[in-house]
């Protein structure tokens, strides 16, 4: 059973430079290690920016964002890429790559699983790039762990490729124009 969220104390903050998250457990050692030890290193190196959802001072979830693109190299062949572009862009806007934002890490504390916080954060990310489109990006991408694919599908992400050979993750995307 997940803890209820006290929305009067709920907030999402961009991690400050050298900020330390004292404790976090989502049940995945790699995701825990990222927020506890690596997020500030990525931020200081300008590789990714992390945001932490908190109730009071307790970190209940986090995500990190980085620049990305959807390009010909992501597809098995030019035909697949052209099929992807044709559906979304007029002839005048068919480029060799399209700007995207990558959700590099996304985790919810074990105590708050099933509370709806994941979807709240995903909606926050979508809105962040739709409202005043801060970076001129069209897509949100994620290399989703296989066990997280149902969560992303519930949040309207789709596989970029019909066949993805990666045995650990699947490349998914969300088109911000679908909002």
């Amino acid at each position: 059973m997940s803890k209820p969220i006290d929305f009067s104390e709920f907030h999402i903050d961009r991690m400050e430079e050298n900020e330390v998250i004292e404790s976090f457990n989502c049940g995945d050692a790699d995701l825990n290690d990222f927020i506890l030890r690596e997020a500030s290193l990525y931020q200081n190196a300008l590789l990714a920016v992390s945001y932490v959802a908190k109730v009071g001072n307790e970190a209940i979830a986090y995500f990190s964002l980085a620049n990305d693109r959807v390009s010909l190299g992501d597809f098995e062949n030019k035909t697949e890429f052209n099929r992807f572009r044709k559906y979304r862009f007029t002839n005048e806007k068919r480029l060799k790559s399209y700007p995207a934002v990558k959700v590099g890490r996304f985790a919810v504390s074990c105590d708050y699983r099933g509370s709806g916080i994941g979807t709240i954060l995903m909606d926050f990310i979508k809105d962040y790039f739709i409202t005043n489109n801060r970076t001129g990006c069209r897509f949100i991408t994620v290399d989703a762990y296989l066990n997280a694919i149902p969560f992303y599908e519930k949040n309207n992400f789709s596989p970029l490729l019909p066949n993805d050979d990666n045995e650990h993750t699947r490349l998914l995307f969300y088109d911000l124009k679908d909002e």
Side-chain angles (χ1 to χ4, degrees), residues 11-59:
H11 52 102
I12 302 168
D13 296 317
R14 179 181 165 145
M15 281 187 71
E16 297 292 327
E17 188 174 325
N18 300 318
E19 180 179 351
V20 175
I21 303 298
E22 298 291 332
S23 106
F24 184 82
N25 181 19
C26 68
D28 181 291
D30 182 50
L31 292 172
N32 292 340
D33 188 59
F34 182 82
I35 196 63
L36 297 173
R37 293 177 189 81
E38 297 177 13
S40 62
L41 300 173
Y42 275 72
Q43 196 139 324
N44 290 341
L46 304 178
L47 298 174
V49 176
S50 294
Y51 295 80
V52 181
K54 296 179 181 178
V55 172
N57 290 324
E58 179 187 7

Side-chain angles (χ1 to χ4, degrees), residues 87-88 126 130 138-139 156-158 173-179:
Y87 169 71
R88 290 174 175 73
K126 291 172 184 176
I130 291 171
R138 172 67 184 260
F139 302 102
N156 300 314
F157 279 72
S158 302
F173 78 99
Y174 177 83
D175 189 339
L176 290 166
K177 289 294 279 185
D178 289 345
E179 218 20 63

Side-chain angles (χ1 to χ4, degrees), residues 6 8 11 21 23 51 57 78 85 91 99 103-104 120 124 133-134 147 157 164 177:
D6 180 354
S8 68
H11 52 102
I21 303 298
S23 106
Y51 295 80
N57 290 324
K78 192 172 183 177
R85 293 189 309 176
N91 286 333
V103 177
I120 290 169
F124 175 88
N133 199 327
R134 287 165 170 70
N147 64 346
F157 279 72
D164 192 337
K177 289 294 279 185

Side-chain angles (χ1 to χ4, degrees), residues 77-136:
N77 55 54
K78 192 172 183 177
T79 303
E80 289 293 321
F81 182 57
N82 285 338
R83 195 171 292 133
F84 175 83
R85 293 189 309 176
K86 187 176 184 178
Y87 169 71
R88 290 174 175 73
F89 299 98
T90 62
N91 286 333
E92 300 84 42
K93 301 299 179 219
R94 292 201 186 148
L95 307 172
K96 292 183 181 177
S97 68
Y98 297 92
V101 63
K102 165 100 49 201
V103 177
R105 299 286 196 283
F106 191 100
V108 174
S109 164
C110 290
D111 292 338
Y112 288 88
R113 275 215 189 107
S115 68
I117 189 64
T119 295
I120 290 169
L121 293 181
M122 194 53 64
D123 289 345
F124 175 88
I125 294 168
K126 291 172 184 176
D127 189 57
Y128 193 72
F129 288 95
I130 291 171
T131 305
N132 298 325
N133 199 327
R134 287 165 170 70
T135 63

